[in-house]
Amino acid sequence: MTLSTYPLAAVEVLAEGVWPAPGDPRLPAPLAGFAVSSFSPMASAAADRCLEPIYGAPGAQESQESQELVRRAGRTAIVLASRGGDLETHTATAVAVDAGRPAAPLLFFQSVPNAVVGHIAKRWGLAGPVICFSPDAATADPLSEALDVARSLVDGGDTEEALLLLVEQAGPDGAPANARALLVRPAPFAGEAP
């Protein structure tokens, strides 16, 4: 993947959520079916905070029988970008292997970011395409690359909007673990028909 030239200003940000927010505890609440690592709980918490203003409580679009919300969720992609991926799961697996012990089965399941993306998709009824990637250069901007992916999916007719997830357990500058979720819809470029 190449460096993006796609600006955040060229999208309509429909909602945003982060973890941690001011006042949050040091670790996110545990997530059923996931163990050891904060990667998946952070991603899920940020997604919840982003999507709840749009869809209501998880599953509300089904109970409200809102055809528009169900249709919209069915056309919402999820794009997860992370430079380091789930470092805590990978470290726990390596420690077990180095010690000659079998790694916990859950660690295999959650060692790919698709695991938490599948959890989020099911929780919110999002049925669009799913893409997970790591930026290919240390200086690459994960948000810009995620926006490129979202625009490509929209241009290809695969989706109408995308939930972008940016999750890092440790930044190169020692930044604390964090997750950011943005629900975006690419805006037409200048000169394009709306």
Side-chain angles (χ1 to χ4, degrees):
M1 186 169 281
T2 58
L3 291 175
S4 172
T5 58
Y6 194 70
L8 184 58
V11 298
E12 180 182 3
V13 178
L14 305 171
E16 182 172 4
V18 297
W19 200 96
D24 279 340
R26 191 176 69 82
L27 293 174
L31 189 61
F34 294 84
V36 176
S37 173
S38 64
F39 186 90
S40 295
M42 284 193 311
S44 182
D48 287 353
R49 290 174 173 175
C50 178
L51 295 173
E52 194 160 333
I54 302 294
Y55 290 106
Q61 65 271 27
E62 295 172 7
S63 62
Q64 293 174 353
E65 298 179 359
S66 167
Q67 292 182 350
E68 173 55 23
L69 284 177
V70 171
R71 185 205 65 79
R72 185 174 173 179
R75 299 279 297 156
T76 300
I78 303 177
V79 178
L80 185 148
S82 179
R83 292 181 191 280
D86 190 342
L87 296 172
E88 291 173 343
T89 292
H90 297 163
T91 299
T93 303
V95 167
V97 170
D98 288 347
R101 299 188 317 262
L106 276 180
L107 298 183
F108 291 106
F109 157 75
Q110 71 185 36
S111 66
V112 292
N114 285 18
V116 72
V117 170
H119 168 83
I120 293 167
K122 182 173 186 330
R123 180 172 168 82
W124 291 97
L126 307 182
V130 167
I131 294 179
C132 303
F133 72 94
S134 180
D136 62 355
T139 56
D141 177 7
L143 176 56
S144 291
E145 291 193 12
L147 288 168
D148 275 345
V149 171
R151 182 69 185 205
S152 172
L153 291 170
V154 171
D155 288 348
D158 298 311
T159 191
E160 295 172 359
E161 61 188 29
L163 175 67
L164 309 182
L165 294 169
L166 311 171
V167 186
E168 297 297 344
Q169 290 187 308
D173 57 355
N178 65 85
R180 182 180 181 195
L182 298 101
L183 185 63
V184 300
R185 178 172 41 214
F189 287 116
E192 286 184 352

